[in-house]
Amino acid sequence: MTLVLASPRGFCAGVDRAIHIVERALEKYGAPVYVRHEIVHNRFVVESLAQKGAVFVEELDEVPDEAAVVFSAHGVPKTVPAEADRRGLTSLDATCPLVTKVHREAELHHAMGRQIIMIGHAGHPEVIGTIGQVPDGTVLLVGTPEEAEKVAPKNASMLAYITQTTLSVDDAAAVTEVLQRRFPEIVGPKREDICYATTNRQAAVKTIAPKCEALMVIGSPNSSNSSRLVEVAARAGCARSVLVQRAAEVDWSLLDGVDRLGITAGASAPEILVEEVVAAARERFDVTIEEIRVTTETVTFKLPQALSE
């Protein structure tokens, strides 16, 4: 079996930064350090940090007074850091800087009197956090071209759109096309909201999918960017595309007769999980590795000043 590895794959700069923030907070403040929501959407990462002393909670009322708390990479509504300040908690913001960019866009549009349409998935933490940057009722959420056809803003001449950072590039483009046709004066982002890592991982999958009989995306079911990679692979010509969390989950019997297996990993999945799958494949097949790279990523993000001192 030839394993065709997509590159780039796995951790992005925002995920890497978020994990380092939790690890540095544990070094500086000692365990436990509380983390509101999963720091990134990957069970292996969350369990690894929990073993080091991180305690994951859904809301601040689960965090004891005077504790240290980290906000996840997905971002949080403004009410969350305000409540942490009110309670005197030591808070650290691990929001990906590219998500923060979308937050600032939302604030700017609101300040200029524009109603905002957000392209994203209802209930996703990033969407909740972004909508929570502006007053209730300011943002209209659409997830599909069909919803974009029906959305009814108050004033079509004072309208802007923003985008969840982890969407399918093609899906978001389809929604944007509808919005721009219906509302020619709508204002979009100066630079694409979908992040570089999402775009690059989808481009790599589009490149390898037609060359593979089956494709495996390593990531968690609640990871938006991982789920989108499965969809992108199927559309790009590899119908046998599946999402797995790690090697122990793989049903190898489904790969009987497969000569070329594509492998990638979502932006919140560490490379060790890819290595696990490769090792498991070697136990069952005579494996050849072929890596196809579409670009090299050099992006890095600084840690918060409180942790870099």
Side-chain angles (χ1 to χ4, degrees):
M1 178 185 283
T2 298
L3 302 183
V4 184
L5 304 183
S7 187
R9 64 180 177 273
F11 276 2
C12 62
V15 165
D16 199 48
R17 173 180 179 270
I19 293 167
H20 276 113
I21 286 173
V22 178
E23 291 173 337
R24 290 287 292 273
L26 285 164
E27 291 172 10
K28 181 168 182 174
Y29 303 110
V33 166
Y34 291 82
V35 184
R36 185 187 179 277
H37 192 68
E38 292 186 349
I39 187 68
V40 297
H41 282 159
N42 187 273
R43 185 192 300 169
F44 178 87
V45 170
V46 168
E47 289 176 353
S48 298
L49 291 172
Q51 288 172 2
K52 295 177 182 178
V55 177
F56 293 87
V57 300
E58 286 304 308
E59 298 298 342
L60 286 188
D61 58 14
E62 301 172 63
V63 179
D65 291 341
E66 300 182 7
V69 61
V70 179
F71 305 139
S72 83
H74 311 98
V76 295
K78 276 187 172 178
T79 53
V80 174
E83 173 65 9
D85 289 346
R86 187 191 69 77
R87 289 187 52 201
L89 302 175
T90 299
S91 62
L92 296 159
D93 188 1
T95 302
C96 173
L98 299 179
V99 174
T100 300
K101 163 188 171 287
V102 182
H103 288 184
R104 299 294 82 81
E105 288 171 3
E107 290 179 318
L108 180 62
H109 291 314
H110 177 65
M112 297 184 75
R114 299 180 184 127
Q115 189 171 18
I116 301 164
I117 296 177
M118 181 169 191
I119 306 170
H121 297 299
H124 190 278
E126 182 188 327
V127 170
I128 293 169
T130 301
I131 291 175
Q133 301 305 304
V134 292
D136 288 348
T138 305
V139 179
L140 301 171
L141 181 64
V142 299
T144 64
E146 292 75 22
E147 290 174 357
E149 291 284 6
K150 296 175 183 175
V151 70
K154 294 173 185 173
N155 183 351
S157 65
M158 288 295 288
L159 201 58
Y161 74 88
I162 56 176
T163 306
Q164 182 180 337
T165 63
T166 54
L167 297 181
S168 155
V169 174
D170 295 336
D171 286 350
V175 177
T176 302
E177 189 177 316
V178 174
L179 294 177
Q180 290 174 333
R181 170 173 52 77
R182 289 191 63 205
F183 312 112
E185 295 180 61
I186 195 167
V187 177
K190 290 179 181 177
R191 293 180 62 190
E192 181 66 63
D193 282 344
I194 295 177
C195 79
Y196 78 94
T198 297
T199 303
N200 290 346
R201 279 148 193 73
Q202 290 178 18
V205 163
K206 286 180 183 178
T207 301
I208 72 166
K211 308 175 191 294
C212 300
E213 296 152 277
L215 192 142
M216 197 179 293
V217 178
I218 300 166
S220 293
N222 61 340
S223 163
S224 175
N225 73 82
S226 299
S227 298
R228 301 295 80 75
L229 288 174
V230 177
E231 297 167 1
V232 167
R235 289 178 193 163
C238 188
R240 296 172 68 179
S241 300
V242 296
L243 180 69
V244 298
Q245 297 200 66
R246 55 191 312 177
E249 282 188 9
V250 178
D251 184 350
W252 294 99
S253 67
L254 297 177
L255 298 174
D256 285 346
V258 170
D259 293 323
R260 292 176 65 82
L261 172 64
I263 296 178
T264 190
S268 47
E271 182 65 12
I272 190 172
L273 300 185
V274 176
E275 293 167 0
E276 256 189 18
V277 170
V278 171
R282 288 190 189 280
E283 292 174 4
R284 295 163 175 82
F285 307 99
D286 180 11
V287 166
T288 301
I289 301 291
E290 178 182 332
E291 185 161 10
I292 296 179
R293 177 177 295 277
V294 298
T295 190
T296 299
E297 295 177 347
T298 57
V299 177
T300 57
F301 295 129
K302 293 179 180 177
L303 296 180
Q305 191 170 354
L307 294 179
S308 53
E309 293 169 348

